[in-house]
Amino acid sequence: MNSAKSIMHAFLKQTQELYERAQTIHSRMEANEEGTVEALETLFFRRQESIKQLETFMRQKNFQWTTEEYFIIEQVKESDHQLQQLLNNLHFAFLTQIKRIAQTKEVSKKYNGAYQTMATGGSFIDKRN
């Protein structure tokens, strides 16, 4: 079984890797290569597994963090704070684009059948009185 310190190092590395990968994601959805966002999701799942492992250590009787582990925790907090800001910005940009796409679809639906009901038999009848 891994030690808490080794899991903490892995957790820090995963957080830093998430931040580096998140920086490569473009705020315009269509500018990203296929699978980029999904790869980020995979990293989050791996990091979640590390969290679960750490929780098992923390449940042990008389568990205490070492000085080195506290130092790693501070690094994780700093990296996680930067990651959170970056992900919030990406989320807002993606949400804005999705809303714009939805609005465009709604407007196009209104005009979709508007001109198909008009009979164009080649003649024009003026209905003015």
Side-chain angles (χ1 to χ4, degrees):
M1 185 174 196
N2 292 335
S3 69
K5 185 168 68 171
S6 65
I7 296 172
M8 287 297 298
H9 279 292
F11 185 68
L12 175 61
K13 184 179 177 189
Q14 291 163 345
T15 304
Q16 291 169 339
E17 186 178 355
L18 272 167
Y19 180 70
E20 290 169 9
R21 286 274 184 96
Q23 285 180 313
T24 65
I25 295 177
H26 199 281
S27 61
R28 281 187 27 242
M29 290 186 294
E30 65 272 4
N32 292 309
E33 291 183 27
E34 189 172 328
T36 305
V37 177
E38 290 82 3
L40 199 65
E41 185 178 17
T42 302
L43 289 172
F44 272 111
F45 284 127
R46 284 191 359 222
R47 192 173 94 144
Q48 184 63 36
E49 289 302 314
S50 294
I51 290 172
K52 288 178 184 178
Q53 290 176 348
L54 286 170
E55 286 175 345
T56 60
F57 277 104
M58 292 169 51
R59 287 189 199 117
Q60 293 176 359
K61 188 176 179 179
N62 299 326
F63 174 80
Q64 289 185 331
W65 296 112
T66 65
T67 306
E68 184 179 353
E69 290 167 344
Y70 273 119
F71 180 71
I72 295 170
I73 290 170
E74 289 304 314
Q75 289 177 312
V76 168
K77 283 181 181 179
E78 184 178 315
S79 295
D80 197 56
H81 180 71
Q82 293 172 337
L83 175 64
Q84 192 64 42
Q85 287 177 336
L86 181 59
L87 291 177
N88 284 342
N89 291 340
L90 286 171
H91 179 262
F92 180 74
F94 286 178
L95 189 62
T96 302
Q97 291 170 57
I98 290 170
K99 284 181 182 178
R100 192 175 314 126
I101 290 168
Q103 289 172 347
T104 302
K105 283 183 179 181
E106 283 299 314
V107 169
S108 68
K109 283 180 187 177
K110 290 179 182 177
Y111 288 103
N112 192 19
Y115 300 108
Q116 294 173 358
T117 58
M118 297 177 71
T120 55
S123 61
F124 174 73
I125 300 173
D126 189 1
K127 293 186 179 184
R128 284 187 276 177
N129 289 330

